[in-house]
Amino acid sequence: MKNLKNYTSAALIFLCKIAFTQSQGMVIPFQLTEYNNISVTATLNEIDTIHLMFHTAASSVTITEEAAKKIKSLTFNKTTDGIKSWGGEENSARLSENNSLQIGEIKIKGVSIWENKYSGQKTDGKFGIDLFNDKVINIDFEKKVLIISTSLPNNIRKYEKLRLIVENEMMFIEARCKIDKSFFENKF
């Protein structure tokens, strides 16, 4: 299992984009929950502290229905029917536009937030890599930090570029894992 964790850490270095120009990188601390979710503390609209799951397949910022009841600074101004929620069922979703979100040192304005039924256990919602377009996201599980930068980490000596597969608005890479003497291919 340790080999899978190390391979996954290396495989989850994505090239991505955000409106800052730090070349050394910004560090975002996270907690790895007992459910293996990466939980990041964020501030919404400079008022509410929320815990968002970093979800590599998410393409928007979402807040759960349960969390939305407790958040003071969120105003939903649109509703859309026929949204597929995590878990596959269709439902209506409320939308709150023009929010600010601070994750670590990164402050993002004009964020749209969708209400969703589900997120990882013990999180209030989720966000994806699209907040960091054209940047490198290094997930360091040992230090429990995300490092957002414009270039690969200095300690990377060798890496393999993998094709990104987009299916149903979710992003995957195909990889082989070795467990004992057996190899398994899967989409991650």
Side-chain angles (χ1 to χ4, degrees), residues 36 46 124 140 142 159-160:
N36 291 320
E46 300 179 1
D124 301 311
D140 187 327
E142 284 72 34
Y159 69 95
E160 182 179 346

Side-chain angles (χ1 to χ4, degrees), residues 14 54-60 86 127-129 168-172:
F14 292 97
F54 178 59
H55 193 309
T56 57
S59 61
S60 60
W86 201 29
F127 71 101
I129 65 172
N168 298 322
E169 298 182 16
M170 298 191 333
M171 297 172 277
F172 301 92

Side-chain angles (χ1 to χ4, degrees), residues 15-175:
L15 294 175
C16 301
K17 175 175 196 165
I18 192 169
F20 67 85
T21 58
Q22 292 282 339
S23 60
Q24 298 297 343
M26 293 194 161
V27 176
I28 301 171
F30 70 80
Q31 292 296 316
L32 190 63
T33 71
E34 62 266 30
Y35 301 98
N36 291 320
N37 294 321
I38 294 175
S39 177
V40 173
T41 301
T43 304
L44 182 60
N45 299 319
E46 300 179 1
I47 296 171
D48 294 298
T49 299
I50 55 176
H51 301 280
L52 296 176
M53 177 178 71
F54 178 59
H55 193 309
T56 57
S59 61
S60 60
V61 178
T62 65
I63 296 293
T64 64
E65 293 172 347
E66 193 65 32
K69 294 174 188 174
K70 301 172 192 169
I71 296 173
K72 295 177 175 72
S73 67
L74 202 57
T75 303
F76 292 100
N77 48 9
K78 291 186 180 176
T79 302
T80 304
D81 292 323
I83 299 294
K84 280 204 173 183
S85 180
W86 201 29
E89 56 199 55
E90 283 193 17
N91 57 285
S92 294
R94 297 188 302 167
L95 174 65
S96 176
E97 297 176 307
N98 203 26
N99 296 282
S100 67
L101 185 66
Q102 181 169 348
I103 300 173
E105 300 171 42
I106 300 168
K107 295 179 182 178
I108 307 161
K109 295 189 183 282
V111 176
S112 293
I113 298 177
W114 291 92
E115 187 178 50
N116 199 309
K117 287 186 180 283
Y118 306 110
S119 185
Q121 295 94 329
K122 301 200 176 184
T123 62
D124 301 311
K126 54 191 174 289
F127 71 101
I129 65 172
D130 59 331
L131 289 182
F132 313 115
N133 288 336
D134 296 332
K135 299 292 178 203
V136 173
I137 304 170
N138 181 0
I139 304 172
D140 187 327
F141 285 98
E142 284 72 34
K143 294 180 182 174
K144 296 183 181 174
V145 293
L146 302 174
I147 303 166
I148 314 301
S149 62
T150 57
S151 60
L152 289 174
N154 292 333
N155 62 351
I156 300 286
R157 302 282 182 251
K158 182 179 173 184
Y159 69 95
E160 182 179 346
K161 185 176 179 178
L162 300 172
R163 185 173 66 96
L164 184 65
I165 301 163
V166 179
E167 293 178 358
N168 298 322
E169 298 182 16
M170 298 191 333
M171 297 172 277
F172 301 92
I173 55 171
E174 286 183 347

